[in-house]
Amino acid sequence: DPETRDATAKTSDGRASVEQLRTESGFGESEHPRIVETLRKLDRQLQRWPADAVDMELYVKDRDTMAQKVTMEVWLPNLPRVVATSNQPVLRDALMEIRDDVWRQIKEQLARRRG
């Protein structure tokens, strides 16, 4: 259930993690572990922030069709919202494309902030 997931979402030191990702329309609760595993690489970026300062959502439109569109939104403290989308028809491919795009955007925003 979501409350249990939220309680375990934080890493032991209270840092942000993809575990706290909310899967919205188009995804079943049972898919959460597989989705998190595919996005796990993002933890290296997310752990810069406290878990309670980060919000993430993942949703899909037209699932399992050629028009499938997967979107991930990430809100991080003092940075513009990160939005990544993929039109890959295979869900795993879409998640990997989104993961890499979110990683790139966070890296670019941090570099811009540093000047």
Side-chain angles (χ1 to χ4, degrees):
D1 77 283
E3 286 182 24
T4 304
R5 189 171 73 209
D6 289 344
T8 59
K10 299 168 182 64
T11 57
S12 59
D13 60 358
R15 308 311 292 171
S17 164
V18 291
E19 292 282 341
Q20 67 194 77
L21 174 72
R22 286 194 323 274
T23 47
E24 301 293 334
S25 61
F27 294 106
E29 187 68 28
S30 64
E31 294 178 283
H32 194 263
R34 192 181 59 191
I35 291 167
V36 165
E37 197 53 44
T38 304
L39 300 175
R40 179 69 64 201
K41 173 185 172 185
L42 291 175
D43 279 352
R44 294 201 310 266
Q45 290 282 11
L46 296 171
Q47 289 177 356
R48 302 171 191 272
W49 295 281
D52 60 0
V54 174
D55 194 19
M56 294 174 283
E57 287 183 359
L58 182 74
Y59 45 94
V60 62
K61 291 182 181 170
D62 300 320
R63 177 137 184 207
D64 297 325
T65 71
M66 291 309 288
Q68 174 173 277
K69 181 178 180 182
V70 182
T71 304
M72 183 173 178
E73 295 184 78
V74 183
W75 292 268
L76 302 164
N78 304 312
L79 291 176
R81 176 179 60 134
V82 172
V83 179
T85 61
S86 175
N87 294 99
Q88 294 286 337
V90 176
L91 184 59
R92 181 170 170 76
D93 294 343
L95 292 171
M96 291 189 312
E97 184 175 45
I98 283 171
R99 177 195 66 200
D100 294 345
D101 192 23
V102 168
W103 178 278
R104 179 191 57 76
Q105 288 185 56
I106 293 172
K107 193 172 166 184
E108 286 176 2
Q109 288 182 13
L110 289 170
R112 243 179 276 154
R113 191 174 74 177
R114 281 192 289 270

